[in-house]
């Protein structure tokens, strides 16, 4: 593990998640079909929470430093959050790909596993968003404690 790797790995994780969410959200906004406005609002809130946390924690780390002594070392829960985010994005992209394949074959998205996979992906996104808020608040609390020392 090199010093440059320690700095670039979190940036790569954040870029993967944020770019993936933007691309998926654009695609889903075009094809969400009968999804209720409440579900659409929930998706937007989840995505905005993830964006805010990722950018906020990056700013806190830049301000305090990213060494373990900074009090902002990566927590186990944050690693689970990243896994939930990447899992959600993977499942959601798979759902969109299956829907597109069904449409190209002359069927409809309902002819594929689109609905159950989208439901699973949205559930994972909700879990990821909850973990995002929890870990973001934890980092904020640690940063405020560190700043007052």
């Amino acid at each position: 593990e090199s010093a440059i790797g320690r700095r670039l790995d979190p940036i790569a994780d954040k870029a993967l998640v944020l770019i993936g969410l933007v691309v998926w959200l654009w695609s889903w906004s075009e094809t969400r079909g009968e999804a209720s406005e409440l579900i659409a609002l929930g998706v937007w809130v989840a995505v905005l929470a993830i964006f805010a946390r990722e950018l906020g924690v990056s700013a806190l780390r830049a301000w305090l430093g990213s060494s373990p002594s900074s009090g902002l070392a990566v927590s186990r829960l944050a690693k689970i959050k990243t896994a939930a985010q990447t899992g959600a994005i993977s499942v959601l992209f798979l759902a969109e790909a299956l829907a597109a394949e069904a449409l190209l074959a002359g069927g409809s998205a309902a002819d594929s596993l689109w609905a159950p996979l989208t439901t699973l992906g949205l559930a994972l996104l909700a879990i990821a968003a909850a973990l995002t808020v929890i870990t973001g608040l934890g980092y904020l609390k640690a940063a405020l404690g560190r700043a007052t020392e």
Side-chain angles (χ1 to χ4, degrees), residues 21 24 43 84-85 87-93 95 114-128:
L21 282 173
W24 173 78
V43 167
Q85 288 175 340
I89 292 166
S90 298
V91 170
L92 291 167
F93 270 119
W114 177 80
L117 284 175
T118 298
T119 301
L120 173 62
L122 291 176
L124 286 171
L125 184 64
I127 291 167

Side-chain angles (χ1 to χ4, degrees), residues 16-111:
L16 175 70
V17 167
L18 298 179
I19 292 168
L21 282 173
V22 167
V23 170
W24 173 78
L25 190 56
W26 172 78
S27 173
W28 183 77
S29 294
E30 295 291 319
T31 62
R32 68 183 162 104
E34 298 177 18
S36 73
E37 292 301 313
L38 187 59
I39 292 172
L41 178 62
V43 167
W44 276 98
V45 168
V47 169
L48 290 174
I50 290 169
F51 264 79
R53 185 267 189 204
E54 298 302 349
L55 297 175
V57 169
S58 294
L60 287 173
R61 281 211 171 98
W63 180 47
L64 294 175
S66 60
S67 68
S69 64
S70 71
L72 291 181
V74 177
S75 68
R76 178 183 295 285
L77 195 57
K79 291 180 181 191
I80 294 169
K81 177 240 1 142
T82 300
Q85 288 175 340
T86 55
I89 292 166
S90 298
V91 170
L92 291 167
F93 270 119
L94 178 60
E96 291 294 313
L98 290 174
E101 181 180 46
L103 291 171
L104 289 173
S108 72
D111 297 333

